Amino acid sequence: MRYFILSFIALVFFVFESIFAQMFAGDAFGADKILVPHFMMIFVFFLTMYGSRKMGMLYGAILGLTYDVVYTEILGIYMFLLPFLAYLISKSMKILQNNILIACLTALLFTAVLEVVIFQMNIILSFADMGFGEFAERRLIPTLLLNLAFIIISCYPLKRMIEKLDLQGETE
């Protein structure tokens, strides 16, 4: 039952991310700013931090493949990047203190890493033609602010929900 609940919550985040992107596309926050919600990725990060590394990497791969198929031109980038970042988060949380503030900052840091890696892949494949300064001003900072607001709103409920599902019993 807990896997059904976890899968349903992942689906809700996946759909909510798409709805949010459609509602606030365009001129909602300024014509030159690009807001990219990464709610599903933040869910995977919190699942890895408060659940298990195995579940975080598994959900990262499945949701990453789904995200690639539905939204991106580069098939496989999210599918490989999300489990890799989930693995790095699990390793970093063994070093860092596991409190809610550190978890929020870690999720924000790895969201920034995700954005920068995706941008660099788009530059390499000639899908983007802006410089890093322009990318940081137009996309990275607004995206991080949006996702920081989402992290602040959802961190405690996500933590409680994942801990309640008791995924720590899974083999690492």
Side-chain angles (χ1 to χ4, degrees):
M1 184 66 173
R2 62 183 167 179
Y3 300 115
F4 175 75
I5 293 170
L6 198 59
S7 298
F8 178 74
I9 292 168
L11 178 66
V12 167
F13 278 110
F14 186 81
V15 171
F16 180 64
E17 184 175 316
S18 173
I19 291 170
F20 188 89
Q22 289 295 321
M23 284 176 44
F24 294 105
D27 295 335
F29 296 103
D32 63 334
K33 304 295 185 217
I34 302 169
L35 297 168
V36 182
H38 287 301
F39 305 151
M40 180 190 66
M41 287 75 166
I42 292 167
F43 167 74
V44 170
F45 297 160
F46 274 91
L47 178 62
T48 305
M49 286 186 251
Y50 293 110
S52 71
R53 176 178 54 196
K54 176 183 167 186
M55 292 304 291
M57 291 177 69
L58 178 67
Y59 274 83
I62 292 168
L63 292 171
L65 177 63
T66 307
Y67 194 88
D68 282 336
V69 168
V70 174
Y71 296 117
T72 65
E73 297 93 18
I74 309 170
L75 195 60
I77 183 107
Y78 282 93
M79 184 181 75
F80 291 112
L81 196 56
L82 282 181
F84 179 69
L85 291 177
Y87 177 78
L88 291 179
I89 283 176
S90 73
K91 291 300 184 184
S92 66
M93 291 311 286
K94 290 183 184 201
I95 297 169
L96 300 172
Q97 293 178 357
N98 198 1
N99 63 40
I100 197 79
L101 178 64
I102 298 298
C104 291
L105 293 175
T106 303
L108 187 66
L109 173 71
F110 278 92
T111 303
V113 169
L114 176 78
E115 271 294 306
V116 170
V117 170
I118 296 299
F119 171 70
Q120 290 300 320
M121 288 302 297
N122 284 326
I123 290 292
I124 289 170
L125 297 172
S126 300
F127 289 147
D129 60 351
M130 67 174 80
F132 188 80
E134 183 181 358
F135 161 75
E137 180 183 333
R138 289 186 63 204
R139 181 173 170 154
L140 183 63
I141 293 172
T143 295
L144 289 179
L145 291 174
L146 168 70
N147 288 297
L148 176 62
F150 178 75
I151 289 169
I152 290 170
I153 292 168
S154 67
C155 66
Y156 188 71
L158 268 175
K159 176 184 184 288
R160 295 281 300 176
M161 184 265 318
I162 292 169
E163 287 175 342
K164 191 173 185 177
L165 290 174
D166 191 31
L167 300 171
Q168 288 293 338
E170 299 294 320
T171 57
E172 290 287 321

